[in-house]
Amino acid sequence: MNSPVYQTVIINGGFTGLFAALHLAHEHYPRSVILIDKNERFCFKPLLYEHFDGEMDSIQVVPFFRNY
């Protein structure tokens, strides 16, 4: 008899969702993790001023989820 294989699904890629997915990956979590978000980028809002001021690149402030 085969035992079912469950996936872990995280809804919303904000700070908590992204941190949870990264933490599970870092801890070698045995199941696959799927992160679902309506956007293709994570927006680190505390650094938006630095981005608009030209001090930081968009890849630092608004990176694509797939880069993680």
Side-chain angles (χ1 to χ4, degrees):
M1 182 172 159
N2 293 339
S3 56
V5 176
Y6 297 104
Q7 295 179 333
T8 301
V9 178
I10 299 172
I11 307 295
N12 195 353
F15 279 108
T16 305
L18 183 58
F19 178 79
L22 291 173
H23 178 73
L24 291 174
H26 179 72
E27 295 295 321
H28 305 292
Y29 187 65
R31 298 181 180 153
S32 63
V33 177
I34 300 171
L35 177 65
I36 299 174
D37 193 90
K38 64 181 178 180
N39 301 310
E40 64 180 9
R41 294 176 175 254
F42 172 75
C43 181
F44 190 65
K45 292 177 183 171
L47 294 178
L48 280 177
Y49 177 80
E50 284 80 1
H51 171 60
F52 293 131
D53 195 33
E55 295 178 33
M56 299 186 82
D57 293 330
S58 63
I59 198 66
Q60 295 171 302
V61 181
V62 193
F64 287 101
F65 281 112
R66 67 176 178 262
N67 292 345
Y68 290 103

